[in-house]
Each structure stands twice: as C-alpha cells, then as structure tokens.
Amino acid sequence: MRPDLIGGEGYVQNCWYVAGRSEDFGRELTALTMLEEQIVIYRDTKGAPIALEDACPHRKLPLSRGTIEGDHVVCGYHGLTFDCSGECVIAPTQLDNPPRRAAVHSYPAEDRWGFLWLWMGDPEQADRGRIIDIPNFDNPNWGKTQKGAMEMACHYLYITDNLLDPSHVAWVHLTSFAGAGTDNRPLDLEETEDGVIVSRWVLDEAPPPYYKDMLPFGPTCDRKQHYECRLPATAINMSVYTPKGEGGKDVPLSPDAFVNISYNFITPVDAGRSRYFWFQHRNMHAGDEAMSQRMFEGAVMAFTEDKDVLEYVQTGMAKRKTPYINLGLDAGAMRFRTRVARQIKSEAG
C-alpha cells in the first residue's frame, strides 16, 4: 500500500487487538504475527494466556520452536528458559548467572467476550477497562452467532473503509444485505470520541433477503443502517428494523424493533494482510440455534464477497498507474483514516 493514503503507514499501538478466539489458544505454543511483530502465545498451568516476543535473545530462534515446561518456555537451541513475564530464569550453560539482558517482551493479554486480546503498546499503559464493552452479552433474551475468523490479503484500513460504507451492499451483497434504498439514499456522518458513525434510515421498503424471515412484521418496514468504526479497528454494524411508520431519525426506538449488531474486530498482520474476527448479537429469537447458524453462514458468505473485492482493491491500489479518487460515500472512511493517522502521530510524538 502506498503511503499517500491517509493513515496508511504504521499502527495505533496503545490499544487492544484481537489475537484470535479464546479457544484457539491452549497449552501448545502458537506463533502469529500482529502489527508486524512476531508473537508466541500459550496458556499457563492455570489457563491464563501468556504472550511473548517470539524470538530468543541469543540468536533469535523463535520461541515457538521450543517447548513448554510448567509455566515456562524453553528455547529449542540452547535451553534458555523464560517465565511468563519474559525474564530468563534458566541458562543451562550459565546456571549460576543467567544473562541479565536475556529477556523477551511480554504482551498484556486478556480473555474477554470469547476472544483473546493483546495490548500491543507500552505495557505500563495497558488498561483492561479499555477493551470494548458489549451490552447484553450475557442477557439470555439476546441471541448470538458463533464467532467467525477470516484471513484477508489486504491492508486493514481497506476493511474499515468497507465497514464504513453502507452503499457497497447494493452491489457486493445482492443476495444478503442489499435492499431498496441502499444504493442512493443520503448518509449521515457523526464523529464520536474514538471513531466515526455513518448511518441512514430507509423508510417503508421491503427488507433484504438476509433479514426477511427474521422479522415479525412486513412486507415493508423501516430500516436503519448504522456503520461505526472505533480506534484502532473495531467496527460495529447495527441493523435496526421497525414496523412501517415507527422508524426514522431522532425518533425513539420502537419497542417492536428488531436489532442485530455485528461486532467486527480487525487485526493488522502487516501492510498487506489482516485478520478479521466477528460475531452477531440480536435482540430476538435468543434460543433459535437454526437461525443463528443461518445468520453465521450468511455472514461468512457476505464477508467472503468483501474479501474478494478488497483483495483486488489491495492489488489494484498498490499497482496503480493513474490517480485514485474519492466519492462522497467515502467521507466516513476518510474521516476515520484521519483519526487513525492522528493517533499514530500522537503516539510517535
């Protein structure tokens, strides 16, 4: 990705990113890359997540090529052994005097909402209260889909661009999220403390195929598209449906409204690769597992459609011979990119 795109260089560091689903990590050593940093993750004997720099300080052999002994990681080259804080506690060839500088970086880690989060910046600034709050997560009246994970061969900001663009559904998601009014209705733009919201109401139109069978009203309804991104790369896409005549801007939410919230967590791997995690949360049909499965499969299909487009965008933008342009619908995405760039600059300063 060329650096002239706003926010295209560097990453926000002092924040939490999703490393994966909590169940993806166990007692084995798991290597992964986040923000161009090599990390090894495992769980200690009590099940707590441990995340360390994946490089022994001696000759930089990845610690993920070593073994676990109790709560410690043993390098597979000369047996240097590191505790959960990254400190070298055993050097077999120097048993009485482990090298003082033989330490690896330790990343604060936290299991929350079924995902494993890592703090990528200064550990002294790690605040677990800054992990996103998910209202009604444990409310038995709300239904949840299973958690999804996907690799995308594109820069993470192309994904946030897409998740701040309600209009693309009219062309990319014809059999799922598209519907009357998604191609040309005006968009509202709002800046929040840590992000951007793009939204609009589409009144008295038929719902899109994805939602049609979930709604207890119809055949037309009022629909709100709420597309929100928060620093560093968390997207909250909310679909609100009300009976016809009960929706609209600045109107109190109808007690009969159907609300589905897609929580999307994007983690940069490097300048050309990202990981995308999500789940969906709805205020009706809590115990309907068949519906949850249909929703999950529909989301996978739609996000695969996004993946196909965005990977071509990555290639096309990287190899472009002529200038790119922005459209009016890009206002929210460009505003979010500006916020990202400012935060990166602030941390660097």
Side-chain angles (χ1 to χ4, degrees):
M1 185 174 187
R2 294 184 181 181
D4 54 328
L5 288 174
I6 298 171
E9 287 191 312
Y11 309 99
V12 178
Q13 297 282 341
N14 286 325
C15 55
W16 296 93
Y17 289 91
V18 170
R21 296 164 295 195
S22 291
E23 62 268 25
D24 294 336
F25 304 100
R27 285 286 287 162
E28 68 281 357
L29 296 168
T30 300
L32 52 78
T33 303
M34 294 172 58
L35 283 62
E36 303 183 32
E37 298 185 23
Q38 310 302 314
I39 303 170
V40 60
I41 298 175
Y42 67 101
R43 293 187 183 276
D44 67 15
T45 52
K46 295 181 179 179
I50 309 299
L52 302 174
E53 174 189 356
D54 193 15
C56 178
H58 172 225
R59 289 294 184 266
K60 301 302 180 180
L61 181 74
L63 290 178
S64 56
R65 301 281 298 175
T67 58
I68 296 175
E69 290 187 4
D71 290 341
H72 298 161
V73 178
V74 181
C75 178
Y77 196 8
H78 292 97
L80 270 67
T81 302
F82 301 88
D83 66 14
C84 296
S85 72
E87 180 181 353
C88 181
V89 293
I90 298 174
T93 61
Q94 301 175 211
L95 285 175
D96 297 329
N97 186 28
R100 292 183 179 180
R101 293 188 299 152
V104 295
H105 182 76
S106 174
Y107 298 83
E110 178 81 5
D111 285 301
R112 187 82 59 87
W113 316 126
F115 296 94
L116 179 61
W117 303 75
L118 299 188
W119 179 271
M120 297 299 295
D122 179 1
E124 296 297 320
Q125 297 187 43
D127 178 1
R128 285 166 168 75
R130 289 177 58 185
I131 296 175
I132 184 174
D133 182 44
I134 299 182
N136 295 300
F137 186 83
D138 295 317
N139 187 336
N141 296 318
W142 281 64
K144 289 193 284 280
T145 66
Q146 66 190 79
K147 300 177 296 256
M150 181 180 291
E151 303 272 345
M152 288 194 177
C154 68
H155 193 281
Y156 79 102
L157 287 176
Y158 285 137
I159 304 175
T160 60
D161 288 350
N162 192 65
L163 291 168
L164 280 169
D165 173 19
S167 297
H168 82 277
V169 303
W171 289 274
V172 179
H173 305 308
L174 292 174
T175 62
S176 54
F177 302 144
T182 58
D183 54 348
N184 57 12
R185 300 292 168 87
L187 295 166
D188 295 319
L189 175 60
E190 173 188 352
E191 288 207 51
T192 65
E193 181 179 351
D194 61 350
V196 174
I197 299 172
V198 178
S199 65
R200 65 177 162 201
W201 277 95
V202 178
L203 304 178
D204 193 14
E205 297 284 3
Y210 185 81
Y211 287 102
K212 183 178 178 181
D213 294 338
M214 305 178 197
L215 304 179
F217 42 77
T220 65
C221 60
D222 297 340
R223 172 189 186 183
K224 183 182 183 182
Q225 291 178 288
H226 173 109
Y227 280 44
E228 176 180 358
C229 276
R230 302 179 186 175
L231 293 174
T234 293
I236 302 170
N237 288 4
M238 181 165 59
S239 296
V240 179
Y241 291 87
T242 74
K244 181 178 68 173
E246 296 185 20
K249 189 176 180 180
D250 300 324
V251 174
L253 183 64
S254 167
D256 297 318
F258 175 81
V259 179
N260 184 56
I261 306 173
S262 180
Y263 289 97
N264 308 274
F265 311 113
I266 300 94
T267 299
V269 175
D270 54 34
R273 295 179 297 158
S274 306
R275 293 192 185 91
Y276 185 5
F277 305 96
W278 76 89
F279 79 96
Q280 293 177 301
H281 203 200
R282 63 183 185 272
N283 71 337
M284 292 184 184
H285 314 298
D288 193 333
E289 295 302 324
M291 176 176 289
S292 294
Q293 185 61 29
R294 288 198 306 274
M295 293 181 72
F296 177 76
E297 292 171 356
V300 170
M301 180 186 71
F303 297 159
T304 301
E305 292 169 340
D306 287 328
K307 169 183 166 73
D308 184 57
V309 168
L310 295 177
E311 290 181 351
Y312 274 110
V313 166
Q314 171 76 25
T315 302
M317 290 290 281
K319 296 182 178 180
R320 64 184 183 272
K321 301 300 183 183
T322 56
Y324 68 91
I325 64 170
N326 290 322
L327 302 175
L329 59 85
D330 296 310
M334 293 303 101
R335 197 75 61 88
F336 185 71
R337 282 176 173 262
T338 299
R339 296 288 290 271
V340 170
R342 287 175 180 168
Q343 185 63 29
I344 292 171
K345 184 178 180 180
S346 174
E347 291 182 356

